[in-house]
Amino acid sequence: MDYQALLERIADEVAPLVGSGTPAGYIPALASVDPSRFGMAVADLDGRVYGVGDWRTPFSAQSITKVFSLALALAEGGDSLWERVGREPSGNPFNSLVQLEYENGIPRNPFINAGALVVTDRLQTLTGDASSEVLEFLRQESQNPDLGFDADVAGSEQEHGDRNAAVAHFMASYGNMDNPVPALLEHYFWQCSIEASCADLALASRFLARHGLRADGSRLLTRSEAKQINAVMMTCGTYDAAGEFAYRVGLPGKSGVGGGIVAVVPGRCTLAVWSPGLDARGNSVAGVAALDRFTTLTGLSVF
């Protein structure tokens, strides 16, 4: 398949949507990002990567990093993690506290903020440095040693992180936190602040298309675990718009409020797209449209 020509066609077709939506305003360091940016990359199983637009421009990965922290927590600690976090869509905004009280402090899934905090807590217990583990994994899988944290974004999230702190303390009251909440939040904010490009994220996600195999051929996850993460991405990866994303795109995907989305075609390739303008549910307007065009033009949906 001529991925390069395909990406160029997609970029042309979604160009009218670039700039639509609004960058994430509740994190001041993200609110000032130019909404006219757009990039898209595809990485095949062998590590060849193709791109268009701003595909090599680093941006704030935000919740996309939750995929990698989940994979590392499962790889390091096994499926006992699922005793502390569910695998069901929430149906509520990603930062909601509503369900936690009547579900005894067990978050619905690992991709809403509450669930991601549990995953980070687990990874911190297993490794002693959760945020650095995620960063180092991304550096290795993307083969880009220059990936790093954005201190301004991390600081901005810390300063405006009252709701995440409330969620973490609430779960701690139910015994679903092992580490001190302030230290946990610090790792969570630093993890979300990682900057990476579409090329980096497409390459780093390949283990999910390779059924758990890392870039160097070693096994990170069992085939079953890779399947499980892809399944949870499909049902929970785009906040409370997962049904719409499955309907339009038909691939496991994970979005972030930095405007990025990664998607997986198991056994074939991975994709990453970035455009900072978000819809009301926190997903990139042009990014979702670009992935929709990809699966429509290629037929490479899981359905």
Side-chain angles (χ1 to χ4, degrees):
M1 182 179 295
D2 187 346
Y3 285 124
Q4 190 60 47
L6 176 64
L7 290 175
E8 290 170 5
R9 175 178 175 181
I10 291 170
D12 286 341
E13 292 184 1
V14 303
L17 292 174
V18 175
S20 301
T22 306
Y26 69 97
I27 302 173
L30 299 182
S32 60
V33 177
D34 180 0
S36 69
R37 308 300 292 269
F38 174 84
M40 188 172 185
V42 177
D44 68 17
L45 298 187
D46 296 322
R48 289 181 291 266
V49 61
Y50 310 85
V52 69
D54 300 309
W55 67 297
R56 291 200 179 275
T57 300
F59 61 91
S60 188
Q62 291 293 314
S63 288
I64 293 173
T65 62
K66 295 172 182 177
V67 172
F68 305 106
S69 60
L70 175 61
L72 290 170
L74 287 174
E76 294 275 353
D79 61 7
S80 62
L81 173 68
W82 299 120
E83 298 170 8
R84 299 177 53 192
V85 60
R87 300 184 291 272
E88 297 294 336
S90 69
N92 283 310
F94 58 86
N95 58 357
S96 174
L97 290 86
V98 172
Q99 290 169 325
L100 284 173
E101 184 164 13
Y102 59 82
E103 294 184 352
N104 300 314
I106 304 295
R108 277 288 179 97
N109 67 71
F111 294 147
I112 55 174
N113 288 13
L117 285 163
V118 170
V119 173
T120 299
D121 180 67
R122 179 64 175 148
L123 188 59
Q124 178 67 11
T125 298
L126 291 166
T127 68
D129 193 346
S131 54
S132 293
E133 285 288 320
V134 175
L135 177 59
E136 185 57 31
F137 179 81
L138 283 166
R139 285 173 171 171
Q140 291 176 7
E141 295 304 293
S142 67
Q143 300 176 347
N144 182 359
D146 295 327
L147 292 186
F149 301 114
D150 185 322
D152 289 339
V153 170
S156 187
E157 295 201 55
Q158 183 83 44
E159 186 177 352
H160 297 84
D162 291 338
R163 183 174 288 266
N164 283 318
V167 167
H169 282 293
F170 193 81
M171 292 189 293
S173 75
Y174 281 94
N176 201 14
M177 288 282 134
D178 293 333
N179 296 280
V181 168
L184 167 66
L185 289 169
E186 184 175 1
H187 279 280
Y188 178 73
F189 294 139
W190 279 110
Q191 171 192 308
C192 288
S193 80
I194 292 172
E195 280 199 321
S197 69
C198 292
D200 297 323
L201 291 170
L203 286 168
S205 304
R206 283 189 304 139
F207 71 96
L208 291 170
R210 287 161 54 92
H211 307 296
L213 291 181
R214 297 186 60 164
D216 64 3
S218 64
R219 181 162 292 282
L220 176 71
L221 302 171
T222 66
R223 289 182 68 97
S224 180
E225 288 168 338
K227 177 196 72 175
Q228 291 163 4
I229 292 179
N230 280 325
V232 179
M233 288 173 68
M234 174 67 81
T235 58
C236 309
T238 47
Y239 310 123
D240 54 338
E244 178 71 10
F245 188 81
Y247 176 84
R248 289 186 63 185
V249 177
L251 293 174
K254 182 72 195 85
S255 60
V257 295
I261 309 172
V262 296
V264 181
V265 185
R268 190 70 176 259
C269 64
T270 50
L271 305 101
V273 61
W274 172 54
S275 188
L278 309 180
D279 61 23
R281 290 171 167 176
N283 298 308
S284 170
V285 174
V288 173
L291 293 171
D292 181 353
R293 293 305 299 148
F294 178 87
T295 53
T296 299
L297 292 169
T298 64
L300 293 177
S301 162
V302 301
F303 298 113

